[in-house]
């Protein structure tokens, strides 16, 4: 007698389920951990100066930078790192020279390409670079008169007023309120209970002349630290 023609049923064994689950976890876990955007805070110290002869015998102005940042992964080793920062730049005069200071504070938007390097234990080196777009929130020049036989008198003037005075000798003289920077840097990243902490250094080069009749441009060496955490919807 012929047996009924039933479709053969596939027997699923517990071992197969375990192997499939293990393979899925291995495939998806790195992807999820690397593709999760991170939000955080950034801060540090600046050693800033100006090029050229805007202030004679220029030395570093020590200031700070602080703000918010994000890390937006594109691949396991590459991410975009936008930032929104308040940063203090400018310059001081060297001791023994004319007493002068330029205090220029900016709101800056760096957009950096970040490359993650091979990890050494729990430490992950990285490098980054990209442009920054800045708009000043304050620009003042401070100093003292140096005329002979005249008592030293403190001077403090905003850059717009200085430009108007300079325009009497150099028609069209004006300061630029905006700057475009080139930023390069790197550091080390550490995992801290699911959060990422970094320490690093960056160099910031301004490409726009601070005042159009001089070649003075901003420069800053910054020592930065960040703390970020995964952003979950």
């Amino acid at each position: 007698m012929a047996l009924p023609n039933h479709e053969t049923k596939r027997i699923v064994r517990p071992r197969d389920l375990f192997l499939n689950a293990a393979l899925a976890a291995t495939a998806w876990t790195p992807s999820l951990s690397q593709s999760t955007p991170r939000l955080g805070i950034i801060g540090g110290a600046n050693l800033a100066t100006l090029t050229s002869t805007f202030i004679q015998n220029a030395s570093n102005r020590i200031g700070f930078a602080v703000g918010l940042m994000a890390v937006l992964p594109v691949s396991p080793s590459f991410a975009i790192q936008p930032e929104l920062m308040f940063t203090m730049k400018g310059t001081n005069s060297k001791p023994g020279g004319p007493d002068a200071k330029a205090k220029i504070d900016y709101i800056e938007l760096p957009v950096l390409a970040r490359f993650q390097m091979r990890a050494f234990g729990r430490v992950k080196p990285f490098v980054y670079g990209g442009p920054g777009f800045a708009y000043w929130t304050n620009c003042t020049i401070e100093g003292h008169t140096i005329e002979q036989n005249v008592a030293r008198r403190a001077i403090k003037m905003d850059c717009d007023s200085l430009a108007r005075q300079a325009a009497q000798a150099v028609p069209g003289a004006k300061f630029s309120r905006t700057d475009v920077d080139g930023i390069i840097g790197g550091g080390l990243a550490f995992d801290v209970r699911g959060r990422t902490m970094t320490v690093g250094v960056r160099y910031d080069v301004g490409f726009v002349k601070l005042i159009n009749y001089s070649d003075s441009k901003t420069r800053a060496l910054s020592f930065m630290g960040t703390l970020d955490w995964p952003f979950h919807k």
Side-chain angles (χ1 to χ4, degrees):
M1 184 174 70
L3 294 174
N5 186 18
H6 294 296
E7 182 179 354
T8 302
K9 294 183 179 180
R10 183 179 178 182
I11 300 175
V12 179
R13 292 172 294 182
R15 186 181 67 179
D16 295 332
L17 289 173
F18 177 78
L19 289 175
N20 289 335
L23 289 172
T26 302
W28 283 100
T29 300
S31 175
L32 289 173
S33 64
Q34 295 292 341
S35 63
T36 304
R38 305 195 303 275
L39 302 177
I41 55 177
I42 182 171
N46 286 347
L47 297 177
T49 190
L50 296 174
T51 62
S52 191
T53 57
F54 181 70
I55 287 181
Q56 297 289 336
N57 299 315
S59 66
N60 291 322
R61 179 196 181 194
I62 300 175
F64 66 85
V66 64
L68 304 174
M69 49 88 71
V71 179
L72 309 176
V74 177
S75 73
S77 60
F78 174 67
I80 303 298
Q81 181 173 311
E83 302 170 356
L84 180 61
M85 301 181 64
F86 171 81
T87 182
M88 298 171 66
K89 297 182 181 181
T91 190
N92 292 335
S93 58
K94 292 181 179 178
D99 182 9
K101 299 178 182 179
K103 296 182 178 181
I104 313 170
D105 304 328
Y106 289 94
I107 294 294
E108 189 169 78
L109 177 63
V111 182
L112 308 175
R114 174 167 164 168
F115 298 89
Q116 193 84 25
M117 302 170 68
R118 182 178 178 180
F120 294 92
R122 302 184 68 178
V123 180
K124 298 179 180 180
F126 62 90
V127 295
Y128 54 62
F133 307 94
Y135 183 88
W136 88 33
T137 59
N138 171 68
C139 181
T140 57
I141 309 299
E142 299 179 7
H144 290 84
T145 58
I146 56 174
E147 299 175 6
Q148 294 183 351
N149 302 321
V150 177
R152 286 169 57 86
R153 180 171 58 87
I155 298 174
K156 184 175 181 180
M157 184 179 301
D158 65 81
C159 292
D160 289 333
S161 298
L162 181 61
R164 285 193 293 270
Q165 288 191 7
Q168 298 176 8
V170 183
K174 63 179 180 179
F175 281 80
S176 175
R177 290 181 171 272
T178 60
D179 199 0
V180 178
D181 309 325
I183 301 170
I184 57 172
L188 301 174
F190 308 86
D191 181 71
V192 183
R193 297 183 179 181
R195 297 174 176 84
T196 301
M197 181 180 72
T198 75
V199 291
V201 62
R202 67 174 59 175
Y203 189 58
D204 183 324
V205 179
F207 296 128
V208 178
K209 294 180 180 180
L210 178 61
I211 190 167
N212 58 350
Y213 66 80
S214 171
D215 196 31
S216 293
K217 299 174 184 177
T218 62
R219 299 285 187 271
L221 178 66
S222 304
F223 302 91
M224 310 298 294
T226 71
L227 180 64
D228 61 64
W229 48 90
F231 174 72
H232 299 288
K233 294 182 179 180

